[in-house]
Amino acid sequence: MSVDLVGFLGVVLVAYVVPGPDFVVVLRSAAEHPAMGRAAALGAQSGLCAHMLAAAVGLSLIAARSPVVYDAIKLLGAAYLVYLGVRAVLTARRTARRATHERRAGRPTAGDPGGVGRPADGDPGTPGTPTAPEDGPGRNRLRSGFTQGFLTNVLNPKAALFFLSILPQFVHGGGSATRQIFFLGTLDVLIGVAYWFALVAAAARLRALLIRPKIRRRWELATGWLFIAIGIGVAAAA
């Protein structure tokens, strides 16, 4: 098998370093909990596997050559990003209203002394509610992180075009092109897993900061509007 590994690794590393939708999803999930961040990372890389398999059977080629199919996938991905953004903004606003209500009622809020990581009485908590660092995410939140990572990636037609246009540039003759594409694609996925896991580990400090309610609300608003902006940008380019 003869492939241009040096050139391929350079392109892949640059593609991961440049922030995109996957980056925001993994970082947001990691801010919730490292395990949730790793679940989002595995979801994103599973989306890449889906693109790789689709390219192998020619489905991505059909989508790339059909403007209607390509635009439909693009708009679905944009709509999902906007949905994630709107949900984050609404969560931030609900958290702000809850904090205001608790202050008026004289109860400690999450992040205050005596109230760190605990929801209000009778409130089971919401995905946007800060928790103490030692608390682990539930199975539903892990599933949510994986699903967000997977859908964000699999609904991104640029990932499909990577396997159709950029990746074949590093495949040489003298061997099976399909085998070489699978080899490079698998290498891409593994590099991504290592990169995302390193990002999740680096996000531990951010998670500690997000226990503070004001910083948490600002984080939710900032990332929420970032999702919305990316989604609108993707839809405008369709």
Side-chain angles (χ1 to χ4, degrees):
M1 184 180 298
S2 177
V3 293
D4 182 4
L5 279 180
V6 176
F8 174 74
L9 291 176
V11 170
V12 168
L13 290 175
V14 170
Y16 278 113
V17 170
V18 176
D22 289 349
F23 181 91
V24 181
V25 168
V26 173
L27 188 61
R28 273 181 54 84
S29 298
E32 293 286 339
H33 193 278
M36 191 172 176
R38 289 189 289 269
L42 293 176
Q45 298 312 98
S46 296
L48 274 186
C49 290
H51 284 301
M52 181 170 58
L53 292 174
V57 299
L59 295 179
S60 295
L61 183 60
I62 295 174
R65 290 185 175 179
S66 173
V68 175
V69 175
Y70 179 84
D71 288 344
I73 296 174
K74 208 169 190 179
L75 290 174
L76 281 174
Y80 184 67
L81 291 173
V82 171
Y83 161 75
L84 292 178
V86 170
R87 192 173 70 171
V89 171
L90 292 178
T91 296
R93 291 180 177 178
R94 283 196 301 268
T95 303
R97 286 197 298 268
R98 184 185 302 113
T100 300
H101 175 74
E102 291 177 350
R103 282 197 300 269
R104 291 176 178 174
R107 293 184 296 180
T109 59
D112 290 337
V116 176
R118 293 200 300 267
D121 295 339
D123 183 358
T126 63
T129 302
T131 57
E134 64 272 18
D135 293 338
R139 182 176 300 177
N140 289 338
R141 297 182 74 182
L142 290 177
R143 186 182 300 113
S144 174
F146 182 90
T147 301
Q148 289 183 25
F150 178 79
L151 291 179
T152 299
N153 188 283
V154 84
L155 292 176
N156 183 1
K158 291 183 179 179
L161 291 178
F162 175 83
F163 284 97
L164 289 172
S165 58
I166 298 178
L167 189 147
Q169 303 301 319
F170 302 97
V171 173
H172 297 293
S176 170
T178 300
R179 288 178 57 191
Q180 292 181 67
I181 288 177
F182 267 115
F183 171 74
L184 292 175
T186 301
L187 188 59
D188 181 3
V189 171
L190 294 177
I191 291 173
V193 170
Y195 173 77
W196 294 133
F197 277 30
L199 177 66
V200 170
R205 181 176 177 83
L206 176 63
R207 172 172 157 75
L209 291 174
L210 292 180
I211 293 178
R212 300 171 62 180
K214 288 184 179 180
I215 295 179
R216 178 56 182 245
R217 289 194 292 272
R218 291 170 182 171
W219 165 260
E220 291 285 352
L221 285 172
T223 55
W225 285 114
L226 180 58
F227 268 131
I228 293 173
I230 294 175
I232 292 175
V234 170

